[in-house]
């Protein structure tokens, strides 16, 4: 599984509006509220259980371990899983008396776009990167989190049911027919960003919970389908994360495999799992922490 080249995409339908809100309105709202982060990484997929919170937590910890100042924002105010992960992390570090790379974290309790920008400015004035964990649903605030993303990370499970949100496929040939509901929404925002002269969002779809040997025949077929969808919809494909108890079991403690090197009282890190996290981090293609400026103005023009 390698990173697939990003190619030109088919245009999204012109009339994609969400809950009566035109994408132009969403992007205009984002563009007129400057934020100071060099990189906004939004982890989103309308599908629940795809691994958004898991990936957001691992990305945030990996970036903090590499020396970035990171703010994590949990947009899921019902489940609060990302926030609970980081609260457990703080508690684990205190209880074990170990120093861990820390991530500032907040839950957004309001649903307005204005609050998102206000909270980002309030909670992380000196942070370089913000990682936003979106709930598995469409809403005005999720649209804004996608519209403001420099990097959009979408975990998908290798099942045709999950791929349907990215693209409708011919059921016999599994060829691309049209964009799925989530992809349509992302495309509409991306096109609007381009129309408004803003830099393109780098969209990375990450196969998650891949079972051994790329998930057998069905996994292989889904990966092949993803490869066909990618140029039509406009994302690149990350190498992916396998299904591992080694990820899940540490989540309760707010830890990742990267943290075990700091905690001699816990078992040693799982080498392959550690490599997968670092590979995902590398595939985000961020500048090194020393080169990341704290941005003065808003979104970067194209
Ligand atoms: N790569 C993985 N290996 C093992 N378990 C995983 C993996 N990714 C996610 N999970 C588990 O799957 C469930 C759903 O993941 P979660 O990140 O909460 O999804 P989402 O935020 O998209 O709803 C959780 O129990 C999580 O621990
Ligand atoms: Mg979640």
């Amino acid at each position: 599984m390698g990173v697939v080249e990003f190619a030109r995409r088919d245009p999204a339908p012109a009339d994609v509006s969400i809950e009566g809100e035109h994408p132009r309105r969403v992007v205009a709202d984002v563009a007129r509220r400057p934020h100071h982060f060099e990189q906004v990484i939004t982890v989103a997929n309308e599908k629940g259980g795809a691994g958004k919170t898991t990936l957001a937590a691992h990305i945030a910890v990996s970036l903090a371990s590499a020396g970035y100042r990171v703010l994590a924002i949990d947009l899921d105010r019902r489940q609060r899983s990302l926030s609970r992960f980081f609260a457990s992390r703080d508690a684990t570090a205190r209880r074990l008396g170990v120093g861990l790379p820390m991530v500032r974290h907040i839950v957004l309790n309001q649903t307005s776009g204005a609050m998102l920008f206000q909270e980002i400015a309030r909670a992380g004035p000196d942070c370089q990167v913000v990682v936003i964990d979106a709930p598995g649903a469409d809403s005005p605030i999720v649209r804004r989190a996608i519209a403001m993303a420099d990097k959009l990370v979408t975990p998908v499970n290798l099942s045709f049911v999950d791929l349907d949100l990215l693209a409708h496929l011919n059921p016999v040939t599994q060829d691309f027919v049209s964009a799925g509901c989530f992809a349509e929404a992302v495309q509409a925002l991306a096109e609007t960003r381009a129309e408004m002269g803003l830099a393109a969002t780098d969209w990375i779809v990450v196969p998650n919970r891949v079972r051994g040997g790329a998930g057998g025949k069905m996994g292989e077929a889904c990966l092949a389908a993803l490869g066909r969808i990618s140029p039509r919809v406009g994302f690149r494909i990350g190498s992916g994360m396998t299904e591992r108890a080694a990820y899940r079991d540490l989540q309760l403690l707010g830890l990742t495999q990267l943290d075990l090197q700091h905690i001699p009282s816990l078992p040693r890190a799982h080498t392959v799992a550690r490599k997968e996290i670092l590979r995902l981090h590398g595939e985000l293609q961020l500048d090194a922490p020393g080169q990341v400026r704290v941005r003065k103005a808003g979104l970067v023009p194209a």
Side-chain angles (χ1 to χ4, degrees):
M1 291 185 284
V3 174
V4 170
E5 278 304 308
F6 195 24
R8 278 189 73 77
R9 59 176 184 263
D10 290 356
D15 64 343
V16 181
S17 63
I18 323 104
E19 296 178 5
E21 207 180 20
H22 197 281
R24 220 167 290 132
R25 194 179 140 153
V26 176
V27 177
D29 192 21
V30 164
R32 78 187 157 83
R33 298 178 201 268
H35 68 81
H36 60 277
F37 290 94
E38 183 58 23
Q39 287 291 334
V40 174
I41 302 171
T42 299
V43 185
N45 182 351
E46 261 177 76
K47 188 92 190 148
K52 294 176 290 295
T53 301
T54 304
L55 259 61
H58 281 82
I59 289 170
V61 168
S62 184
L63 293 175
S65 307
Y68 295 89
R69 294 187 300 278
V70 184
L71 171 67
I73 302 189
D74 191 346
L75 291 190
D76 195 334
R77 65 200 171 106
R78 268 177 65 75
Q79 296 183 16
R80 298 172 169 252
S81 309
L82 188 72
S83 168
R84 272 213 290 282
F85 173 90
F86 284 113
S88 306
R89 183 175 180 80
D90 298 343
T92 299
R94 264 199 316 276
R95 206 173 330 116
L96 299 181
V98 290
L100 293 175
M102 289 322 241
V103 170
R104 209 168 304 163
H105 55 97
I106 55 169
V107 184
L108 199 76
N109 281 312
Q110 313 288 328
T111 53
S112 82
M115 283 306 291
L116 173 62
F117 301 106
Q118 235 175 66
E119 283 298 292
I120 287 177
R122 192 186 61 78
D126 58 341
C127 288
Q128 297 165 299
V129 184
V130 59
V131 178
I132 304 178
D133 179 25
D138 183 25
S139 71
I141 192 111
V142 171
R143 298 273 168 155
R144 278 160 181 76
I146 293 172
M148 72 192 293
D150 299 292
K151 308 276 174 187
L152 173 63
V153 177
T154 299
V156 286
N157 292 347
L158 292 180
S159 108
F160 281 104
V161 175
D162 285 33
L163 295 196
D164 194 57
L165 278 77
L166 294 175
H168 303 307
L169 303 174
N170 178 308
V172 179
T173 62
Q174 273 143 23
D175 283 336
F176 178 88
V177 176
S178 60
C181 62
F182 180 68
E184 262 187 3
V186 173
Q187 278 187 318
L189 293 169
E191 274 153 30
T192 310
R193 269 181 73 116
E195 271 168 37
M196 293 175 67
L198 301 171
T201 299
D202 182 16
W203 186 12
I204 307 143
V205 169
V206 179
N208 183 35
R209 309 195 73 169
V210 178
R211 286 165 215 275
K217 277 207 163 54
M218 186 53 81
E220 294 285 357
C222 287
L223 264 184
L226 258 190
R228 288 193 295 277
I229 300 168
S230 145
R232 306 296 295 271
V233 167
F235 55 75
R236 58 192 175 98
I237 306 172
S239 299
M241 308 264 286
T242 33
E243 165 82 28
R244 283 180 201 284
Y247 295 133
R248 211 178 24 243
D249 294 350
L250 288 176
Q251 271 177 320
L252 269 181
L253 294 171
L255 298 177
T256 70
Q257 289 289 326
L258 299 182
D259 299 309
L260 295 179
Q261 58 182 326
H262 304 292
I263 313 177
S265 55
L266 291 181
R268 283 162 60 106
H270 188 297
T271 316
V272 184
R274 206 168 169 274
K275 275 195 185 139
E276 273 183 9
I277 302 166
L278 294 173
R279 192 174 55 187
L280 171 62
H281 176 158
E283 286 173 357
L284 293 176
Q285 300 173 356
L286 301 175
D287 289 336
Q291 293 169 314
V292 174
R293 294 163 292 116
V294 172
R295 203 186 276 168
K296 291 284 178 283
L299 298 176
V300 181

